[in-house]
Amino acid sequence: MRQDSNEAAFSAFHAVVKFDKLVEQTVDRITRFSGFVPARHFIPVIEVLDLEANPRSSKVGQVTAAIRDSIENTPDDFPFKTKGILLGASDYRKLDRDRIGVNFADRKIEGILDGGHNTLAIGLHVLSVAGVPEQAIRKVKVWSDFRDLWHQEAERVDELRAKVRRAEGDSTELDFLIPVELIVPSDVSDTAVVEAFESSILDICAARNNNVQLRVEAKANKRGYFDDIKQTLPKYISDRVEWQQGDPKPVKVADVVALAWVPLALLEPMPEDDDAKAVTAPLPQNLYRNKGDCIVRFERLMSSPSVTCVHGALAELRNLPVFSALTIAGQMPELYELIYRKFPIAYNQNDGRYGAIVAVRKMNPQTARKHHTKFSDQEADYASPEGFIIPLVYGLTALLERRTDGTIAWKTDPIAFLNRHLGEIAKKYKMIMQTMDFDPQKIGKSGAAYELVRDAYTNLLLAAGAA
């Protein structure tokens, strides 16, 4: 903790938080400062922080509306109606007059750990008081919209802050109190204490957010378990994925992780999790029917000490076989979409009428506009039930091999294989579809369908090798 009296020696604070009725408590490696912060003194925090450290991205809705209503109509009761805001930082300094100078060094794990909706509602209230038209405020739907508007209206906010300062002891609309907790290392000069504190931040953050049943993928994202998939995916797909819960992106992270198990399932031996139990791959049909199971198993895999090592609160991949599988996982969405776009054509070339299948017809009304693929938003002739597509994607496991060093690799170019053999695959798959009444739910949930498709791929690959 830095406490020297010369403020110039540590002037580059990201924010200075002025508490009212400050309380300081220390247990082991963590110190907590808590108290009420007048809204006027919370503005610097809003200025410098986004929600990188919060597992969820806040949205405007009933919660934020209720918070704003409380601020506007019962400001004296507001600090007792809300659990407030939790901040975390690994570098700070106590100043005079109950002020804490804070530096948020690693924004992925430090900043607003809990209270994103409170912060959003308070920020919208500040903009309203600053004179920003309500019409502009109503256009804010998610945190990123708010951040853009805040920057656009920076001049109005600065004028409001100057006006509040000039008011001195007079009452203002920014006098309401906000319950704020700030957790910091008990000794910032001790590297071991700081590292232990950083390791605890994520668990504290997750526990504070458990009132909304924080999803496993949100915690996995904060740990950095998705970082390697982010890097191996084409950027135009990665940018469309909802890596952070609440981020308004069209692709769910569970869809990406489910496909990642196509190569990950070939790992042998499977790494052991923290409880020394070998991680097992999800059942093939769970790639369709239970993507939550795919996420849970992925989190167990990536948290294995033999897969990642932890630096502070973030995990770094150190397992070559897993990395090789994740590299292939980055190709899976494009292969999914190749099948998605071309399977209906291949089906029709085998005396089939794909558009006449009841499940397909329901998804493709005559009045529908052009259809687009899930991951890259490419045009497609048909919208297809996922229960038809996922078994065909799973069949690609037949084209993968585990090398002597444990790494996973393609036996053959999957794109060339699909372009050459998808017609024959469609012919065999059509028989599977017939036995299951062309019901995508039955097919997608049938383990037998996945094995039959994989056998079809295997036989075609063997025949091509013999030829």
Side-chain angles (χ1 to χ4, degrees):
M1 178 176 56
R2 311 186 186 194
Q3 299 190 50
D4 54 283
S5 58
N6 181 11
E7 292 193 16
F10 192 58
S11 59
F13 297 120
H14 290 136
V16 174
V17 184
K18 188 178 188 311
F19 284 86
D20 185 7
K21 306 184 188 307
L22 178 66
V23 175
E24 178 180 348
Q25 299 168 302
T26 298
V27 177
D28 192 23
R29 64 193 181 279
I30 298 176
T31 293
R32 177 174 69 178
F33 297 102
S34 60
F36 296 130
V37 176
R40 67 171 76 187
H41 296 307
F42 192 72
I43 292 178
V45 175
I46 300 176
E47 293 254 339
V48 301
L49 288 180
D50 274 320
L51 296 183
E52 300 102 321
N54 196 297
R56 291 171 290 117
S57 183
S58 300
K59 295 180 179 180
V60 171
Q62 293 181 348
V63 174
T64 51
I67 296 170
R68 288 188 66 190
D69 180 73
S70 178
I71 292 170
E72 293 167 8
N73 296 312
T74 57
D76 293 340
D77 295 341
F78 175 71
F80 306 103
K81 290 181 175 181
T82 173
K83 64 178 181 177
I85 295 164
L86 174 65
L87 304 175
S90 59
D91 197 5
Y92 75 100
R93 178 180 162 209
K94 291 178 65 176
L95 306 174
D96 58 358
R97 292 179 290 134
D98 287 343
R99 295 178 304 154
I100 308 291
V102 186
N103 273 336
F104 302 98
D106 186 347
R107 298 300 178 89
K108 287 193 70 175
I109 61 174
E110 300 177 33
I112 300 170
L113 305 183
D114 186 28
H117 285 88
N118 272 315
T119 306
L120 177 57
I122 293 165
L124 292 172
H125 176 77
V126 171
L127 291 176
S128 178
V129 174
V132 176
E134 194 63 29
Q135 182 179 4
I137 293 175
R138 282 198 297 268
K139 292 181 180 178
V140 173
K141 302 301 180 186
V142 294
W143 176 266
S144 58
D145 297 339
F146 161 72
R147 178 53 71 195
D148 290 342
L149 183 61
W150 182 274
H151 289 319
Q152 291 169 17
E153 301 294 346
E155 189 173 335
R156 290 183 193 258
V157 175
D158 288 343
E159 290 175 357
L160 173 64
R161 295 177 70 182
K163 178 182 176 182
V164 170
R165 283 194 295 270
R166 290 194 299 270
E168 305 242 337
D170 297 336
S171 176
T172 74
E173 292 180 270
L174 297 183
D175 285 342
F176 66 92
L177 300 176
I178 306 165
V180 174
E181 295 175 78
L182 169 65
I183 58 172
V184 296
S186 57
D187 184 355
V188 296
S189 63
D190 188 324
T191 303
V193 170
V194 173
E195 288 184 354
F197 168 80
E198 291 175 347
S199 296
S200 299
I201 281 184
L202 184 70
D203 292 335
I204 294 170
C205 182
R208 288 299 188 93
N209 283 273
N210 66 6
N211 61 315
V212 290
Q213 296 182 340
L214 182 63
R215 296 186 306 193
V216 174
E217 60 258 38
K219 290 186 283 186
N221 182 47
K222 295 309 299 177
R223 281 290 189 200
Y225 295 153
F226 297 146
D227 286 356
D228 289 281
I229 298 184
K230 291 180 188 178
Q231 296 299 319
T232 58
L233 281 172
K235 188 175 185 302
Y236 68 92
I237 292 179
S238 180
D239 288 346
R240 289 170 50 82
V241 178
E242 184 194 31
W243 299 111
Q244 183 181 29
Q245 185 177 350
D247 196 10
K249 300 293 181 63
V251 179
K252 301 299 181 185
V253 67
D255 290 326
V256 175
V257 172
L259 294 183
W261 276 107
V262 172
L264 286 171
L266 272 73
L267 294 171
E268 183 64 38
M270 274 287 186
E272 294 182 346
D273 64 13
D274 288 334
D275 296 325
K277 296 179 181 179
V279 178
T280 55
L283 296 172
Q285 56 268 39
N286 279 4
L287 275 62
Y288 167 72
R289 73 177 183 182
N290 193 347
K291 293 177 183 178
D293 177 58
C294 297
I295 286 280
V296 170
R297 293 172 188 271
F298 182 82
E299 193 273 338
R300 286 183 60 211
L301 172 74
M302 296 301 291
S303 63
S304 167
S306 67
V307 175
T308 56
C309 55
V310 178
H311 297 290
L314 298 178
E316 179 181 340
L317 182 63
R318 64 178 185 180
N319 185 297
L320 184 58
V322 172
F323 177 75
S324 69
L326 292 179
T327 300
I328 292 173
Q331 305 169 34
M332 296 309 299
E334 289 183 314
L335 293 170
Y336 175 102
E337 294 198 341
L338 188 154
I339 294 171
Y340 189 93
R341 288 183 289 107
K342 293 192 173 184
F343 173 69
I345 300 170
Y347 183 93
N348 288 338
Q349 290 173 345
N350 283 276
D351 298 323
R353 295 174 57 214
Y354 192 71
I357 299 173
V358 173
V360 175
R361 189 168 65 245
K362 289 180 178 179
M363 295 182 66
N364 295 269
Q366 294 182 348
T367 56
R369 299 177 181 177
K370 290 185 176 180
H371 309 291
H372 291 80
T373 57
K374 175 193 303 185
F375 295 102
S376 64
D377 199 34
Q378 294 184 57
E379 286 190 7
D381 293 336
Y382 290 93
S384 290
E386 191 170 59
F388 287 165
I389 304 301
I390 289 291
L392 293 168
V393 178
Y394 173 80
L396 292 169
T397 55
L399 310 186
L400 292 167
E401 64 180 354
R402 185 175 55 256
R403 293 175 171 170
T404 54
D405 62 356
T407 58
I408 310 302
W410 293 109
K411 298 176 186 176
T412 187
D413 181 346
I415 296 176
F417 180 90
L418 290 170
N419 286 333
R420 185 178 303 117
H421 297 294
L422 195 55
E424 297 167 84
I425 294 169
K427 184 177 181 179
K428 297 177 183 296
Y429 194 49
K430 182 180 174 184
M431 291 186 288
I432 298 173
M433 295 168 73
Q434 287 174 333
T435 61
M436 298 188 184
D437 302 319
F438 296 95
D439 185 338
Q441 289 281 330
K442 289 182 180 179
I443 295 169
K445 296 179 180 180
S446 168
Y450 290 80
E451 294 306 316
L452 289 168
V453 171
R454 191 180 191 282
D455 289 344
Y457 277 71
T458 300
N459 292 334
L460 287 167
L461 184 64
L462 292 172

